[in-house]
Amino acid sequence: QKEVEQNSGPLSVPEGAIASLNCTYSDRGSQSFFWYRQYSGKSPELIMFIYSNGDKEDGRFTAQLNKASQYVSLLIRDSQPSDSATYLCAVAYGGYQKVTFGTGTKLQVIP
Amino acid sequence: GAVVSQHPSWVICKSGTSVKIECRSLDFQATTMFWYRQFPKQSLMLMATSNEGSKATYEQGVEKDKFLINHASLTLSTLTVTSAHPEDSSFYICSARETGVPYNEQFFGPGTRLTVL
């Protein structure tokens, strides 16, 4: 069973702060890692993907991957109230095309 | 960016009827599409993987005779919920993976909210 684990939250941060979202996965063969944002009642939208160890930055978002520790994180700088949503970590593995999703972390940015 | 559409966005039907949901990739070809179901306050649960020109692969516990999937072209997959019952009420979301993209990135449709009375 390939598992992806996230803290369900809610994670509350003040506006302008850095939000740090974490995710661990069980399969060492995992190849690609994704962060999706899902607003209530909407479908997920892709924020970032990462496949190499280290950091990947895109605007206010930074994804960090540590394959040795089987850990991937998402940092949101200068958090805005509009960032309030559930963030889903997803992991693709092996020769399959399937992606396993975590249960998501609910982020609340307080004005 | 890659756009995936779904139709209808919501549907209400009577128990025992069948409902068809369409998923289209609008600006790219998708050899593989995925169907998910999401109940309130839960994560996405993969139901099946839809492959163009071949039979869909269903996840354990998903009844293939109840959830019929057809992926007849590189841009269209359909999910038919047959003999729907109230417990089938859920948010159904499809996603598509662009052919030839190496990192399994998936783009999601806007979802279809099904309510079975």
Side-chain angles (χ1 to χ4, degrees), chain A residues 31-32 34 36 38 41-46 49 51 88 92-94 96-99 101-104, chain B residues 32 34 36 38 42-44 46 49 51 59 91 93 97 102-111 113:
Chain A
Q31 297 177 325
S32 309
F34 307 87
Y36 287 87
Q38 186 175 26
K42 303 295 184 182
S43 68
E45 57 178 321
L46 180 68
F49 72 90
Y51 53 88
L88 301 171
Y93 50 90
Y96 299 96
Q97 300 174 4
K98 291 192 292 187
V99 169
F101 285 85
T103 53
Chain B
T32 304
F34 304 88
Y36 295 85
Q38 187 176 35
Q42 296 186 21
S43 190
L44 296 165
L46 179 65
T49 303
N51 298 293
E59 295 301 299
F91 192 40
I93 310 172
R97 179 177 178 275
Y103 297 115
N104 293 315
E105 184 180 1
Q106 296 181 27
F107 298 97
F108 284 87
R113 191 162 300 281

Side-chain angles (χ1 to χ4, degrees), chain A residues 43, chain B residues 6-10 21 91-94 108-113:
Chain A
S43 68
Chain B
Q6 272 184 252
H7 178 81
S9 55
W10 59 271
I21 303 170
F91 192 40
Y92 291 86
I93 310 172
C94 74
F108 284 87
T112 297
R113 191 162 300 281

Side-chain angles (χ1 to χ4, degrees), chain B residues 37-113:
Chain B
R37 181 167 53 183
Q38 187 176 35
F39 292 106
K41 301 189 185 225
Q42 296 186 21
S43 190
L44 296 165
M45 296 296 294
L46 179 65
M47 299 175 66
T49 303
S50 169
N51 298 293
E52 187 267 337
S54 64
K55 291 183 178 180
T57 303
Y58 291 82
E59 295 301 299
Q60 189 173 6
V62 178
E63 299 175 57
K64 63 180 181 181
D65 294 330
K66 180 171 182 63
F67 299 99
L68 302 179
I69 292 173
N70 185 295
H71 193 157
S73 77
L74 287 172
T75 59
L76 173 64
S77 175
T78 61
L79 168 68
T80 300
V81 183
T82 62
S83 186
H85 290 285
E87 59 265 29
D88 298 322
S89 299
S90 187
F91 192 40
Y92 291 86
I93 310 172
C94 74
S95 70
R97 179 177 178 275
E98 186 171 0
T99 302
V101 171
Y103 297 115
N104 293 315
E105 184 180 1
Q106 296 181 27
F107 298 97
F108 284 87
T112 297
R113 191 162 300 281

